[in-house]
Amino acid sequence: MTEPDNAALTPFYYRDNYLRLCDTVEAQYGDILGAAEREMLHTFRSLGFDAQCLYVRLISRTGPWFRESKLAYAELGPTPPILDELLAHEMVEEASALSPAELGKLFTRSELLQVFCPPDQPTPPDKPSLLHSIEQLQLREDVTLAALCTLDSQRIVAPRGVELTEYLQLLFFGNRQQSLTDFVLQDLGLTRYYPYPLDPEHRLFASREALEEYVTCATLGDTHYTLLEAGEQEALPALAAQLLPMNPRFASSEKRWHRLCNNLARDLERLDECEMALQLYSRSQRHPARERRARILESVGDWTAARAVCEEILDSPWCEAEREAAERILPRVNRKLGGPRQARRRDSFADIALTVPRGSESVEELAAQALQQQWQAVHYVENALMNTLFGLAFWEQIFAPVPGVFHIPFQSAPADMYDRAFRIRREHSLATRMQQLREENLATILAESYQRYQHYECRWTHWRYISLELVEACARIIPPEHLLAIWERMLFDPAENRRGFPDLIALGAAPGEYCLIEVKGPGDALQDSQKRWLRYFQAHDIPAQVAWVEWRDD
DNA sequence: ACCGGCCACACAGTC
DNA sequence: AGCTGACATG
DNA sequence: GACTGTGTGGCCCATGTCAGC
Ligand SMILES: [Mn+2]
Ligand SMILES: [Mn+2]
């Protein structure tokens, strides 16, 4: 047990952070909380210190039910009187009946055996079947609970207001993933967020309706997942029927809704529910909705409609991947409609053949080792290197205080990082920065940026994998005009063009002596995103090649 | 944005 | 026993 | 060989404990 570095960490940091969260949310969203919710917050604040601490522990752990005996916190003293207080204020409720499934989460296999299986009877082989056989007993749920309490006379409790807590966290973080844990990680110094200025003026959720709309989308997403998990595909059309009449009105839930439409539609395709899939896709404004529509229409033989969708895409593509898909589909469809056969563009990239012995390492590692002989150093970097360099080059623009993009102090990128709007809203500062990068010493800029911003959370930088030394070596050897060209394309579409970079970078001794190398093992092929970068490299005379690996059999 | 989304890869079926 | 996954923890 | 679909594994603090198998 080591002492935390951060002296601010008290034994009560969970409670302290929860209060910070409540304060922030009440200040920012007081108007959209209901009377009952504010009342509950008031009750919480009126509790004694220990009761507050225990309550926050309860809502931070996976419940909903807890055995009193499992609630032991050294910093709080005996649990029973604290629970008494929480029960008295109705912040906690006591179980009076529990289902077999709930029992399974609370009691061990041997405890359940002890109570429900007489020693002379055959014992179920594992816990699931044990729970099943308890179900078969058809006991009343309060009876089963009473039976178990004979071996553990302590109470079984659940915190109330869990859904309020979920709402508070959602309002604070703007998503359902982050939680009090993020405060803790911050306190522990495990994560550090760049101190960009927050603007409380622009809040994420405009109104109670916006919040509810988001929660509805999230719940439908949960249902989707649960149905898949349970193998209940037949219920998916009904889920789609719930999704379709929705009309998301708030920006805060739009992206989520579109993604949900796409995900669900994809599953409906697999069920041959093409009609419904088409309806969902046509409501979605997110790639690959239009591509999927074109493919469905092609597969059902509606070539006229398929052509129309392709033309719509080509007219104003959402991204390059979408345009390429339309360019592949359209000629096929045109031929069906009696058009001429068209010659296809063929790529040809510089390549080498490698024959290496099989090893336990990945094919990329093995290829890197084989290439070590011809180069000073070969690094297996994939997307991490170029994304890190991008983050270093444009840190100030990424974290610039554009209105409305920084809501909370736990962001690793602005809210619009992957939107079309990102580039447009920072047009001027990005242009100025590009100019500066063109004119000044890139190696110095990148190294200084690395040292200044190292350890701050950023979607682009990979501090662990990409060392300062590697950044310096790359900045010395890769010609600035190459890096600038790469960054231009990344800025053009930061979402799409952050992937597809070659696996390896091989570095020589002198400036210009380097090569980006995509490793392809037997059976692997270039992906579309990789081809797009390789084409771009060709067009800009950036040295890149594909290394086709074969196994040397001995 | 961790019961999810994103990568890259492996493999199979089609033309 | 030895391994794994879920969970809680700082 | 190109294209398409599908399914996979890793990656997201690190570490210890416990229950299950
Ligand atoms: Mn790769
Ligand atoms: Mn590769």
Side-chain angles (χ1 to χ4, degrees):
Chain A
M1 171 104 38
T2 55
E3 279 301 304
D5 302 337
N6 195 328
L9 195 68
T10 76
F12 314 107
Y13 57 88
Y14 266 90
R15 173 236 178 223
D16 294 348
N17 284 323
Y18 184 68
L19 277 176
R20 273 169 63 197
L21 188 147
C22 292
D23 290 345
T24 310
V25 172
E26 274 193 297
Q28 200 170 12
Y29 287 110
D31 58 311
I32 82 175
L33 292 176
E37 292 168 328
R38 286 200 301 272
E39 172 65 24
M40 189 146 210
L41 282 172
H42 179 76
T43 307
F44 173 77
R45 289 184 209 277
S46 74
L47 293 171
F49 186 85
D50 285 358
Q52 290 183 351
C53 290
L54 184 61
Y55 180 76
V56 179
R57 287 289 185 176
L58 288 177
I59 57 176
S60 307
R61 285 174 56 172
T62 41
W65 297 107
F66 300 93
R67 290 165 73 170
E68 186 174 8
S69 53
K70 301 282 179 188
L71 304 176
Y73 291 97
E75 73 275 16
L76 297 185
T79 303
I82 309 177
L83 269 187
D84 290 340
E85 181 181 351
L86 286 168
L87 283 161
H89 287 86
E90 298 189 323
M91 294 298 282
V92 157
E93 63 182 312
E94 194 177 348
S96 57
L98 290 176
S99 70
E102 288 168 326
L103 293 177
K105 289 195 203 164
L106 285 173
F107 295 94
T108 67
R109 194 171 94 95
S110 68
E111 285 171 326
L112 293 170
L113 279 174
Q114 208 177 314
V115 172
F116 291 105
C117 297
D120 51 329
Q121 301 226 338
T123 57
D126 53 23
K127 199 164 177 179
S129 48
L130 169 58
L131 292 175
H132 184 70
S133 63
I134 294 176
E135 230 165 334
Q136 300 303 307
L137 295 176
Q138 301 270 357
L139 299 169
R140 272 172 43 198
E141 293 189 348
D142 53 338
V143 175
T144 56
L145 184 61
L148 279 160
C149 285
T150 58
L151 49 83
D152 179 350
S153 64
Q154 296 190 299
R155 290 167 286 190
I156 290 169
V157 296
R160 309 185 73 178
V162 170
E163 52 298 323
L164 170 60
T165 300
E166 284 168 0
Y167 272 39
L168 293 176
Q169 288 192 6
L170 178 53
L171 285 170
F172 183 86
F173 290 108
N175 60 59
R176 295 195 310 162
Q177 285 67 53
Q178 289 178 298
S179 65
L180 284 180
T181 301
D182 291 78
F183 282 93
V184 177
L185 297 180
Q186 175 93 322
D187 289 345
L188 288 166
L190 289 170
T191 53
R192 291 174 59 197
Y193 290 88
Y194 187 62
Y196 44 78
L198 292 169
D199 58 347
E201 294 308 304
H202 293 81
R203 58 186 200 180
L204 209 49
F205 297 101
S207 61
R208 182 77 191 196
E209 292 161 278
L211 175 65
E212 300 289 355
E213 188 176 275
Y214 184 97
V215 171
T216 305
C217 291
T219 307
L220 290 172
D222 289 347
T223 309
H224 182 202
Y225 175 83
T226 317
L227 290 177
L228 283 191
E229 196 73 348
E232 295 173 25
Q233 272 83 2
E234 67 277 3
L236 291 180
L239 184 58
Q242 278 183 274
L243 195 55
L244 275 169
M246 271 187 78
N247 219 339
R249 294 184 296 134
F250 302 100
S252 44
S253 32
E254 239 173 22
K255 267 189 273 190
R256 176 167 280 267
W257 192 76
H258 291 151
R259 190 156 45 215
L260 187 51
C261 285
N262 285 359
N263 291 344
L264 185 53
R266 200 69 186 81
D267 285 323
L268 290 170
E269 279 190 71
R270 298 186 175 109
L271 294 177
D272 262 326
E273 294 278 355
C274 294
E275 257 318 304
M276 203 163 259
L278 278 174
Q279 284 185 45
L280 280 175
Y281 282 136
S282 51
R283 304 280 317 271
S284 164
Q285 297 297 302
R286 185 187 173 89
H287 182 67
R290 295 194 299 190
E291 176 189 334
R292 297 308 317 165
R293 270 168 63 210
R295 291 190 192 284
I296 293 174
L297 292 168
E298 183 193 13
S299 76
V300 301
D302 190 346
W303 293 301
T304 319
R307 180 168 65 183
V309 174
C310 286
E311 280 165 354
E312 183 189 337
I313 292 173
L314 294 174
D315 191 52
S316 61
W318 288 342
C319 61
E320 286 189 48
E322 191 191 34
R323 186 172 50 72
E324 288 185 354
E327 281 169 351
R328 284 196 295 253
I329 298 166
L330 188 55
R332 288 199 302 263
V333 171
N334 274 336
R335 278 209 62 222
K336 296 284 189 185
L337 288 167
R341 177 181 277 275
Q342 287 176 358
R344 226 187 356 244
R345 168 189 61 189
R346 275 199 52 118
D347 293 307
S348 100
F349 303 115
D351 63 356
I352 58 168
L354 285 181
T355 307
V356 303
R358 275 179 214 272
S360 51
E361 303 100 318
S362 69
V363 66
E364 292 87 357
E365 304 272 9
L366 294 167
Q369 285 171 23
L371 291 162
Q372 296 281 1
Q373 295 149 13
Q374 309 155 47
W375 298 90
Q376 293 239 284
V378 183
H379 302 272
Y380 176 26
V381 292
E382 239 162 30
N383 299 321
L385 174 65
M386 288 303 171
N387 284 344
T388 298
L389 296 182
F390 178 84
L392 295 177
F394 298 100
W395 189 281
E396 288 87 357
Q397 290 68 45
I398 291 168
F399 288 103
V402 170
V405 299
F406 291 112
H407 310 279
I408 60 164
F410 300 97
Q411 289 180 231
S412 55
D416 64 347
M417 185 73 248
Y418 298 135
D419 294 347
R420 285 255 163 264
F422 174 82
R423 188 196 174 107
I424 295 157
R425 302 175 74 183
R426 296 161 184 80
E427 194 88 66
H428 179 69
S429 69
L430 285 172
T432 308
R433 178 60 166 176
M434 277 304 268
Q435 187 65 20
Q436 187 187 12
L437 294 169
R438 258 193 294 275
E439 289 167 356
E440 296 177 18
N441 184 319
L442 259 191
T444 311
I445 292 180
L446 293 177
E448 284 179 1
S449 181
Y450 193 104
Q451 284 162 316
R452 190 162 29 222
Y453 304 124
Q454 188 179 10
H455 303 315
Y456 287 122
E457 293 294 313
C458 172
R459 208 65 73 70
W460 295 95
T461 53
H462 301 261
W463 305 116
R464 288 202 203 145
Y465 295 109
I466 307 300
S467 66
L468 175 60
E469 290 68 34
L470 182 56
V471 169
E472 287 172 332
C474 290
R476 185 166 48 82
I477 293 170
I478 305 176
E481 60 271 25
H482 291 184
L483 287 176
L484 290 162
I486 289 170
W487 293 337
E488 286 280 6
R489 185 168 135 81
M490 294 180 76
L491 282 173
F492 174 73
D493 189 339
E496 187 173 42
N497 296 330
R498 74 195 135 142
R499 59 179 184 261
F501 289 104
D503 294 313
L504 309 180
I505 183 164
L507 296 172
E513 288 179 12
Y514 80 106
C515 191
L516 301 168
I517 301 167
E518 171 55 36
V519 178
K520 284 297 162 196
D524 193 6
L526 287 171
Q527 296 163 224
D528 292 341
S529 63
Q530 294 171 335
K531 287 185 195 170
R532 288 195 289 272
W533 269 117
L534 288 172
R535 272 183 229 127
Y536 190 80
F537 294 152
Q538 271 184 337
H540 290 80
D541 289 320
I542 294 170
Q545 60 186 203
V546 182
W548 298 98
V549 174
E550 286 194 34
W551 300 124
R552 180 188 303 144
D553 285 318
D554 305 314

